[in-house]
Amino acid sequence: MGGKRILSDQQLDEMAALRERGWSIDRIAEYFTAAGTPISASSINWQCMRVGADAPPRLRGKHTRPGAPYVRYGFTVRPWTDEDDALLVELEVAGKKMREICRRLGRANSSVRGRLLTLARRDARREEKAG
Protein backbone atom coordinates (compact mmCIF):
# COMPACT_ATOMS: atom_id res chain seq x y z
CA MET A 1 0.00 0.00 0.00
CA GLY A 2 1.36 3.41 -0.94
CA GLY A 3 4.50 4.32 -2.81
CA LYS A 4 8.07 4.99 -1.81
CA ARG A 5 8.36 7.18 1.29
CA ILE A 6 9.83 10.63 0.81
CA LEU A 7 10.56 11.48 4.45
CA SER A 8 12.45 9.29 6.90
CA ASP A 9 11.10 8.62 10.38
CA GLN A 10 13.45 11.30 11.74
CA GLN A 11 12.21 13.80 9.14
CA LEU A 12 8.58 12.95 9.97
CA ASP A 13 9.30 13.68 13.62
CA GLU A 14 10.90 17.00 12.64
CA MET A 15 7.96 17.81 10.35
CA ALA A 16 5.48 17.17 13.18
CA ALA A 17 7.48 19.34 15.57
CA LEU A 18 7.63 22.19 13.05
CA ARG A 19 3.87 21.99 12.42
CA GLU A 20 3.06 21.95 16.11
CA ARG A 21 5.41 24.90 16.56
CA GLY A 22 3.22 26.81 14.10
CA TRP A 23 5.00 26.48 10.78
CA SER A 24 2.72 26.53 7.74
CA ILE A 25 2.42 23.51 5.46
CA ASP A 26 4.05 25.50 2.63
CA ARG A 27 6.95 26.61 4.83
CA ILE A 28 7.62 23.02 5.94
CA ALA A 29 7.61 21.81 2.32
CA GLU A 30 10.03 24.59 1.34
CA TYR A 31 12.28 23.75 4.32
CA PHE A 32 12.63 20.08 3.35
CA THR A 33 12.97 20.88 -0.35
CA ALA A 34 15.76 23.40 0.37
CA ALA A 35 17.50 20.76 2.51
CA GLY A 36 17.54 18.34 -0.45
CA THR A 37 14.32 16.38 0.04
CA PRO A 38 11.84 17.72 -2.53
CA ILE A 39 8.29 17.33 -1.23
CA SER A 40 5.02 19.04 -2.06
CA ALA A 41 2.87 20.97 0.36
CA SER A 42 0.02 18.51 -0.23
CA SER A 43 2.30 15.62 0.78
CA ILE A 44 3.30 17.51 3.93
CA ASN A 45 -0.38 18.14 4.69
CA TRP A 46 -1.22 14.44 4.26
CA GLN A 47 1.68 13.36 6.47
CA CYS A 48 0.76 15.88 9.17
CA MET A 49 -2.80 14.54 9.17
CA ARG A 50 -1.51 10.96 9.20
CA VAL A 51 0.73 11.45 12.24
CA GLY A 52 -1.68 13.79 14.04
CA ALA A 53 0.52 16.89 13.85
CA ASP A 54 -1.72 19.93 14.10
CA ALA A 55 -1.06 23.65 14.11
CA PRO A 56 -1.40 25.46 17.43
CA PRO A 57 -5.01 26.59 18.09
CA ARG A 58 -4.15 30.26 17.48
CA LEU A 59 -3.08 29.42 13.91
CA ARG A 60 -5.91 27.13 12.83
CA GLY A 61 -8.14 28.35 10.07
CA LYS A 62 -11.89 28.56 10.24
CA HIS A 63 -13.63 25.27 9.48
CA THR A 64 -15.85 25.48 6.42
CA ARG A 65 -17.89 22.77 4.78
CA PRO A 66 -19.00 23.02 1.16
CA GLY A 67 -22.70 22.40 0.77
CA ALA A 68 -22.74 21.27 -2.84
CA PRO A 69 -20.46 19.33 -5.21
CA TYR A 70 -17.64 21.38 -6.69
CA VAL A 71 -14.86 20.91 -9.25
CA ARG A 72 -11.22 20.56 -8.16
CA TYR A 73 -8.48 19.87 -10.71
CA GLY A 74 -11.12 18.95 -13.27
CA PHE A 75 -12.85 16.39 -11.04
CA THR A 76 -16.21 16.78 -9.34
CA VAL A 77 -15.86 16.52 -5.58
CA ARG A 78 -18.84 15.39 -3.53
CA PRO A 79 -18.67 16.96 -0.06
CA TRP A 80 -19.02 14.73 2.98
CA THR A 81 -22.36 15.00 4.75
CA ASP A 82 -23.13 14.27 8.40
CA GLU A 83 -24.85 11.09 7.21
CA ASP A 84 -21.74 10.04 5.24
CA ASP A 85 -19.58 10.66 8.32
CA ALA A 86 -21.92 8.62 10.54
CA LEU A 87 -21.91 5.68 8.12
CA LEU A 88 -18.12 5.89 7.72
CA VAL A 89 -17.57 5.77 11.47
CA GLU A 90 -20.14 2.99 11.90
CA LEU A 91 -18.45 0.83 9.24
CA GLU A 92 -14.97 1.52 10.60
CA VAL A 93 -15.98 0.73 14.19
CA ALA A 94 -17.63 -2.47 12.94
CA GLY A 95 -14.22 -3.51 11.56
CA LYS A 96 -15.20 -3.48 7.90
CA LYS A 97 -12.36 -3.66 5.40
CA MET A 98 -11.40 -0.43 3.63
CA ARG A 99 -12.47 -1.91 0.28
CA GLU A 100 -16.00 -2.49 1.58
CA ILE A 101 -16.20 0.94 3.22
CA CYS A 102 -15.17 2.60 -0.06
CA ARG A 103 -17.72 0.58 -2.01
CA ARG A 104 -20.55 1.34 0.43
CA LEU A 105 -19.77 5.06 0.42
CA GLY A 106 -19.03 5.23 -3.32
CA ARG A 107 -15.70 6.96 -2.64
CA ALA A 108 -12.03 6.44 -3.43
CA ASN A 109 -9.70 4.86 -0.87
CA SER A 110 -7.73 8.10 -0.49
CA SER A 111 -10.95 10.03 0.14
CA VAL A 112 -12.08 7.63 2.86
CA ARG A 113 -8.64 7.51 4.50
CA GLY A 114 -8.40 11.30 4.41
CA ARG A 115 -11.85 11.69 5.94
CA LEU A 116 -11.00 9.30 8.77
CA LEU A 117 -7.89 11.37 9.48
CA THR A 118 -9.94 14.59 9.40
CA LEU A 119 -12.52 13.20 11.80
CA ALA A 120 -9.76 12.00 14.14
CA ARG A 121 -8.19 15.48 14.07
CA ARG A 122 -11.54 17.07 14.93
CA ASP A 123 -12.01 14.64 17.82
CA ALA A 124 -8.52 15.45 19.11
CA ARG A 125 -9.29 19.18 18.92
CA ARG A 126 -12.54 18.69 20.86
CA GLU A 127 -10.70 16.71 23.53
CA GLU A 128 -8.01 19.40 23.69
CA LYS A 129 -10.66 22.07 24.26
CA ALA A 130 -12.48 20.01 26.90
CA GLY A 131 -9.34 19.09 28.81
Side-chain angles (χ1 to χ4, degrees):
M1 174 152 102
K4 183 181 175 204
R5 284 185 43 189
I6 297 171
L7 300 177
S8 68
D9 288 341
Q10 182 179 359
Q11 288 171 315
L12 286 170
D13 289 343
E14 183 177 12
M15 172 207 69
L18 293 172
R19 185 66 178 143
E20 290 171 353
R21 195 178 310 151
W23 283 34
S24 71
I25 296 296
D26 289 329
R27 184 177 177 196
I28 296 170
E30 290 166 5
Y31 169 79
F32 282 108
T33 298
T37 305
I39 188 166
S40 67
S42 62
S43 291
I44 291 291
N45 186 56
W46 181 264
Q47 292 301 324
C48 283
M49 284 178 36
R50 188 181 66 78
V51 302
D54 202 357
R58 64 181 167 60
L59 297 176
R60 294 176 189 161
K62 183 179 179 191
H63 169 69
T64 60
R65 188 176 211 171
Y70 59 96
V71 176
R72 180 176 59 204
Y73 305 121
F75 294 95
T76 299
V77 177
R78 186 171 39 115
W80 289 84
T81 64
D82 292 337
E83 293 79 19
D84 292 334
D85 287 345
L87 179 57
L88 171 59
V89 170
E90 176 185 320
L91 294 170
E92 205 245 346
V93 167
K96 300 298 182 188
K97 294 190 181 294
M98 187 61 68
R99 178 176 45 252
E100 181 178 348
I101 294 172
C102 294
R103 183 185 55 74
R104 292 270 306 269
L105 291 168
R107 296 187 182 262
N109 182 292
S110 59
S111 178
V112 170
R113 288 175 44 221
R115 190 60 180 179
L116 286 169
L117 293 170
T118 296
L119 294 174
R121 183 182 64 229
R122 288 185 186 162
D123 285 346
R125 286 178 176 180
R126 273 193 292 278
E127 288 175 12
E128 181 181 293
K129 261 186 183 178

